[in-house]
């Protein structure tokens, strides 16, 4: 892995990360990163706090990570330089937030019926105005002693193949890509190496993604190389990030994965020329 200067994929307490946007910004400044993006799941609520604290000491790209799916394939789309204050976007995200809340409540009810007693109100209060997700249940299961690790929580209680699973709101990547573009954001396919289906990348190129996340902790060297080639051949932007959540026991750290200044400049250039911003 090259030494990254920019980490363009970080989760905060406004979704399933354990650090607040302010803690992330402080940490990134200490690490001498030039640029970061807080990319919460279906939420832009942490961006303002991060920008406020950054005060020109580090660049914060307004961003988010939208969930979508094609059947049972989970497809995450990052949106960079998003107009995060746009009313239409916030109304759209509100629908996801409500859906996530109901979904987590349902999972907790299924678990309750099997004698696993978690406190929904307590779990709900963690995210405030942000997005609730399965990792919040995983943390509660760990804290209350039902499991020994976050991974065990997913394997036994939260994964797709467990009896407690509830799907997220069904939304096609095409809709999410368009929504990001409507808000003058740059849509980038997140960690395509984890989807397990290369055709999806080509499908999403047709549907209008502008970039590929190449550097990610779950991508092997070989996958990085393949994804770089696909991006170069198709004239797509390349991004990278740690996908840091701050999970206990995880080796991952802010800035451990990311991209170089060159890729950030290409992203900026796209923003300037295509959207005439910045
Ligand atoms: P959700 O958006 O509620 O479906 O939760 C999905 C999130 O759970 C992903 O973005 C990851 O952050 C996390 N996740 C999924 N599987 C695992 C796992 N085995 N261990 C830890 N985190 C996981
Ligand atoms: Fe996550
Ligand atoms: Fe993701
Ligand atoms: Zn992520």
């Amino acid at each position: 892995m090259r030494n990254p200067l920019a980490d363009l994929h970080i989760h905060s307490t406004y979704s399933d990360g354990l650090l607040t946007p302010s803690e992330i910004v402080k940490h990134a400044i200490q690490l001498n990163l030039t640029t970061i993006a807080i990319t919460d799941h279906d939420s832009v609520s942490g961006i303002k706090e991060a920008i406020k604290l950054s005060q020109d000491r580090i660049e914060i790209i307004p961003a988010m990570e939208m969930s979508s799916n094609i059947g049972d394939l989970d497809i995450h789309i990052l949106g960079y330089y998003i107009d995060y204050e746009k009313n239409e976007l916030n109304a759209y995200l509100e629908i996801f937030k409500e859906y996530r809340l109901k979904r987590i409540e349902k999972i907790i009810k299924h678990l309750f019926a099997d004698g696993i007693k978690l406190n929904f109100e307590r779990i709900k209060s963690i995210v405030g105005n942000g997005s609730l997700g399965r990792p919040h249940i995983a943390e509660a299961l760990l804290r209350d002693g039902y499991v020994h690790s976050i991974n065990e929580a997913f394997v036994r209680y939260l994964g797709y193949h467990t009896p407690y699973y509830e799907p997220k709101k069904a939304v096609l990547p095409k809709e999410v890509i368009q929504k990001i573009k409507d808000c003058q954001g740059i849509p980038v396919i997140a960690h395509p190496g984890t989807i397990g289906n290369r055709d999806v990348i080509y499908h999403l190129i047709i549907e209008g993604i502008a970039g590929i996340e190449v550097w990610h902790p779950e991508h092997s060297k070989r996958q990085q190389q393949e994804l770089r080639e696909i991006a170069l051949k198709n004239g797509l932007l390349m991004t990278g990030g740690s996908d840091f959540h701050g999970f206990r026991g995880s080796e991952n750290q802010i800035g451990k994965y990311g991209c170089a200044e060159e890729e950030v400049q290409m992203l900026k250039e796209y923003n300037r020329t295509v959207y005439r911003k910045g």
Side-chain angles (χ1 to χ4, degrees), residues 110-125:
H110 300 324
L111 289 168
F112 205 89
D114 257 2
I116 297 145
K117 300 191 167 137
L118 302 177
N119 184 334
F120 176 59
E121 291 305 318
R122 184 171 167 197
I123 292 173
K124 204 168 88 173
S125 68

Side-chain angles (χ1 to χ4, degrees), residues 16 41 76 100 103 133-135 150-151 154 168 245 247:
D16 50 6
H41 296 292
H76 292 176
R100 277 177 170 275
R103 172 191 183 223
R134 284 177 293 161
I150 296 288
N151 193 48
F154 273 90
K168 267 189 285 198
H245 285 75
F247 292 139

